[in-house]
């Protein structure tokens, strides 16, 4: 990625990412959401830390207390977890082993689009997932695109998420 994301765009990316997880935490069976001090903890029920996150969007008043409460939340949910925070917030968690510092999620954003060298193929269709068949195709596409087992993405195709605003 040659372009650098502006701080404002990066902040909106983190907020959007947190909102998508909030939707999942509230909609998925076994999901849960806890919010406090500019932070949102989301447990999806999936036994992988990258699907259970503490999003810290603003510097906390007391990082140690926030981490203690988040630890209790995730322990009650029975899932591993990690912290994700924008670069300006990450230093508050310098000693936290679960931190994902920096703009990792920015790898899924384009700050600008270069003119296309060629038009996209006419067979390319980008559309909203509105049916269980669409959801299965979406999960299959994610699995193939990331080169990872389909089971890791099945939560994204759960019927409770189809057509849900914010997701």
């Amino acid at each position: 990625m040659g372009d650098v994301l502006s701080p404002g765009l990066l902040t909106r990316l983190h907020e959007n990412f947190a909102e998508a997880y909030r939707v999942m935490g509230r909609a998925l069976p076994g999901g849960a959401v806890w919010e406090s001090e500019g932070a949102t903890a989301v447990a999806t029920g999936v036994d992988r830390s990258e699907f259970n996150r503490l999003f810290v969007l603003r510097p906390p008043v007391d990082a140690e207390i926030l981490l203690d409460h988040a630890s209790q939340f995730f322990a009650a949910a029975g899932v591993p977890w990690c912290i994700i925070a924008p670069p300006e917030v990450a230093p508050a968690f310098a000693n936290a082993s679960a931190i994902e510092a920096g703009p990792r999620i920015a790898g899924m954003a384009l700050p600008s689009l270069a003119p296309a060298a060629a038009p996209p193929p006419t067979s390319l269709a980008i559309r909203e997932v509105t049916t269980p068949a669409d959801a299965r195709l979406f999960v299959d596409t994610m699995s193939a695109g990331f080169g990872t087992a389909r089971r890791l993405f099945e939560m994204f195709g759960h019927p409770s998420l189809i057509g849900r605003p914010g997701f």
Side-chain angles (χ1 to χ4, degrees):
M1 183 162 76
D3 294 331
V4 175
L5 297 177
S6 70
L9 179 56
L10 187 56
T11 297
R12 289 194 318 272
L13 261 164
H14 278 273
E15 289 170 353
N16 184 62
F17 196 34
E19 180 58 22
Y21 266 72
R22 274 188 206 97
V23 169
M24 288 189 297
R26 291 181 179 126
L28 293 171
V33 177
W34 170 78
E35 297 185 84
S36 177
E37 299 182 38
T40 300
V42 180
T44 63
V46 176
D47 192 27
R48 293 193 48 130
S49 63
E50 64 268 31
F51 295 120
N52 304 290
R53 296 181 185 250
L54 173 64
F55 293 91
V56 186
L57 302 176
R58 286 170 284 296
V61 173
D62 188 321
E64 192 172 314
I65 290 173
L66 177 61
L67 288 176
D68 182 54
H69 290 163
S71 293
Q72 292 174 38
F73 168 80
F74 288 110
V79 293
W81 59 287
C82 63
I83 303 165
I84 187 165
E88 67 274 10
V89 176
F93 300 96
N95 296 322
S97 62
I99 187 75
E100 285 187 31
R104 266 189 84 201
I105 65 167
M108 297 178 81
L110 293 173
S112 63
L113 291 174
T122 56
S123 61
L124 177 65
I126 300 173
R127 56 187 166 69
E128 185 177 347
V129 172
T130 59
T131 68
D134 289 346
R136 284 189 298 279
L137 180 58
F138 178 66
V139 171
D140 290 343
T141 302
M142 287 183 72
S143 174
F146 284 99
T148 306
R150 187 183 193 287
R151 65 178 169 71
L152 295 178
F153 299 106
E154 286 178 343
M155 72 177 190
F156 295 104
H158 194 276
S160 65
L161 294 173
I162 295 172
R164 188 169 284 267
F167 190 77

